[in-house]
Amino acid sequence: MMDCKKALAECAGDAAAAAEWLRKKGLSGADKKAGRIAAEGAVARYIHPGSRLGVLLEVNCETDFVAASEKFQALVNELGMIIAATDCICVSPEDVPEEVLAKEREVEMGKEDLANKPEAIRTKIVEGRLQKMRDQVALTNQATLSNPDKTVAELVKETIAAVGENVKIRRFIKYRLGEGLEKKSNDFAAEVAQQTQAKAAAPAPPKKEEPKKEEPKKATVAVSASVVKELRDKTGAGMMDCKKALAENEGDMEKATEWLRMKGLAGADKKAGRIAAEGVVASYIHPGSRLGVLLEVNCETDFVAASEKFNELVNYIAMGIVAGQNVQYVSADEIPAEVFEREKQLEMARDDLKGKPDAIRAKIAEGRAKKIATEMCLLDQPFLTDPSKTVAEAIKEGIATIGEKISVRRFVKFQLGEGLEKKSNDFAAEVAAATGSK
């Protein structure tokens, strides 16, 4: 109230000028706070309706009190939607990756409209165009959704003035479903014609008649409906499949479960070569908003992508990524050779191996490095709801149940404040410092 009264007095009662005076005052206060350490905040997400586009972002402030405030949360939510709605690729113009700039520079230098200009002029024009590109792809320069006349940078400064703490957008990532993947052709007529030609070109060899061998008949095992239901509840397989599994395995529940799993996995392996370019972009934010994951899981059709079974599997995979502290890659194939070699060298240098011969040390170190690599891979982790099987096995069972190829394409995990310096709360020292300065 006193600030408003002073603003009106300073601006001769002009409400518009007073509002601008207050904004300037607020921004000035925000600039003073910009140097303070912000290591609290929130990891948040925005998934666009349809689950084909998703954003994961981290926004920092100074205290968990402000992180839980309505003003801060409103900022975070709006930022997620702005990132999804624009082509921004980084937080500020200074954050544009050098490889992106190098590629753009090469393209601009080769354009015909600059071909006849002197080298110095061409370079100057190209750098001007690159600066414009930097501004266009930076989140801080985007217009806000609540007020298109205001930039994100201005919105952040206003939030700083309102909450009284430094606020920083630290990082974000955006996934678009299927970007870069080959789409499946649905030209069934062409597929049928191709298969017909292939059959005509390669006549089948004459069949050799072999004497039939009589296989000993298995004794029929009586299977009760309650046991069939128990196996069905345990595996999710069809009733007749459960009945057959129990009959084949003389009523042994464990063997029947394994029989169904093997049958399902065989079906899943046949589907593994098919193209999966549909699916969902999904996320999971752990309670407290300090840890979050964004992932893309693919299937073959949008019908399956919308199914409850598929989305349940995706949700469990997302929670499993958050639960696995060391999970960084989808599979072992993605681990860079230098990462594996570094882990191996670290194990070689451990004290418990120092007295062993080099050959033995190398063998033990490699075994340990492989174990660490397994801990880094999502597909090798225990499945969240059934630790007796891996994520890879759970996905194969999902393929067998759903009838389409399913694959985890990529994921990213953000932990709030990782790598940031934490603010010291030694209030006695702060008071002493303030007293000394006076």
Side-chain angles (χ1 to χ4, degrees), residues 62-381:
E62 295 179 57
T63 65
D64 52 3
F65 177 78
V66 163
S69 69
E70 188 177 337
K71 190 78 176 175
F72 182 82
Q73 290 294 323
L75 170 69
V76 172
N77 291 336
E78 183 165 357
L79 288 173
M81 289 188 280
I82 293 169
I83 294 165
T86 62
D87 294 326
C88 58
I89 63 171
C90 56
V91 174
S92 67
E94 295 77 26
D95 297 329
V96 179
E98 190 52 47
E99 58 268 24
V100 173
L101 291 174
K103 189 176 179 180
E104 287 295 321
R105 187 177 287 109
E106 186 179 351
V107 170
E108 292 295 335
M109 288 292 280
K111 286 189 175 178
E112 291 182 4
D113 64 333
L114 300 182
N116 297 323
K117 297 188 182 294
E119 185 71 23
I121 300 297
R122 283 172 64 206
T123 301
K124 193 172 182 180
I125 293 172
V126 166
E127 289 306 317
R129 290 178 180 178
L130 288 179
Q131 185 56 52
K132 186 178 179 182
M133 186 273 286
R134 282 191 188 95
D135 293 338
Q136 289 172 341
V137 299
L139 172 59
T140 51
N141 289 335
Q142 304 304 312
T144 62
L145 299 177
S146 52
N147 182 358
D149 294 328
K150 188 189 300 177
T151 66
V152 167
E154 290 171 333
L155 178 62
V156 171
K157 282 194 171 185
E158 287 185 4
T159 305
I160 292 172
V163 302
E165 288 188 6
N166 188 16
V167 175
K168 283 190 173 182
I169 307 166
R170 186 183 182 200
R171 52 181 171 168
F172 68 84
I173 194 162
K174 179 165 59 176
Y175 281 176
R176 194 180 295 274
L177 180 68
E179 54 191 348
L181 288 177
E182 181 187 354
K183 298 288 181 181
K184 183 170 69 172
S185 168
N186 286 323
D187 190 347
F188 297 109
E191 287 180 18
V192 170
Q194 188 178 12
Q195 289 171 9
T196 306
Q197 288 173 5
K199 285 180 181 178
K207 290 183 179 178
K208 292 181 182 179
E209 291 190 8
E210 295 181 0
K212 291 182 179 178
K213 294 179 180 178
E214 289 188 9
E215 294 182 3
K217 290 185 179 179
K218 283 187 178 180
T220 306
V221 178
V223 180
S224 68
S226 62
V227 177
V228 173
K229 184 179 183 301
E230 184 183 348
L231 181 59
R232 189 180 184 189
D233 292 342
K234 186 177 180 181
T235 63
M239 184 178 70
M240 294 307 295
D241 285 332
C242 290
K243 191 174 180 181
K244 186 177 179 182
L246 288 162
E248 289 283 336
N249 294 280
E250 301 177 347
D252 187 308
M253 183 67 70
E254 293 303 318
K255 287 182 179 178
T257 303
E258 189 62 28
W259 187 90
L260 282 169
R261 180 176 289 183
M262 289 174 69
K263 182 182 176 185
L265 296 185
D269 289 335
K270 290 177 183 176
K271 298 177 179 79
R274 296 183 346 200
I275 296 166
E278 288 296 327
V280 295
V281 173
S283 68
Y284 171 72
I285 303 295
H286 196 62
S289 300
R290 302 183 73 85
L291 187 60
V293 64
L294 183 72
L295 73 159
E296 178 182 350
V297 183
N298 300 124
C299 57
E300 296 178 58
T301 64
D302 52 3
F303 177 78
V304 163
S307 69
E308 186 179 345
K309 195 81 177 173
F310 178 78
N311 280 279
E312 183 182 73
L313 175 64
V314 171
N315 191 43
Y316 285 142
I317 292 171
M319 287 192 282
I321 294 169
V322 169
Q325 292 185 348
N326 296 326
V327 176
Q328 299 174 43
Y329 306 95
V330 174
S331 65
D333 299 337
E334 294 183 3
I335 301 178
E338 59 269 22
V339 172
F340 183 81
E341 187 58 32
R342 184 180 70 239
E343 292 297 332
K344 186 178 172 182
Q345 293 304 320
L346 284 170
E347 292 300 326
M348 285 277 285
R350 289 195 184 276
D351 290 342
D352 63 335
L353 299 184
K354 282 185 178 177
K356 299 184 185 296
D358 287 347
I360 301 296
R361 284 171 62 214
K363 194 171 182 179
I364 295 172
E366 185 163 355
R368 289 179 180 178
K370 283 180 179 177
K371 185 181 178 184
I372 292 168
T374 300
E375 292 170 356
M376 291 180 178
C377 299
L378 170 63
L379 296 182
D380 293 325
Q381 301 308 301

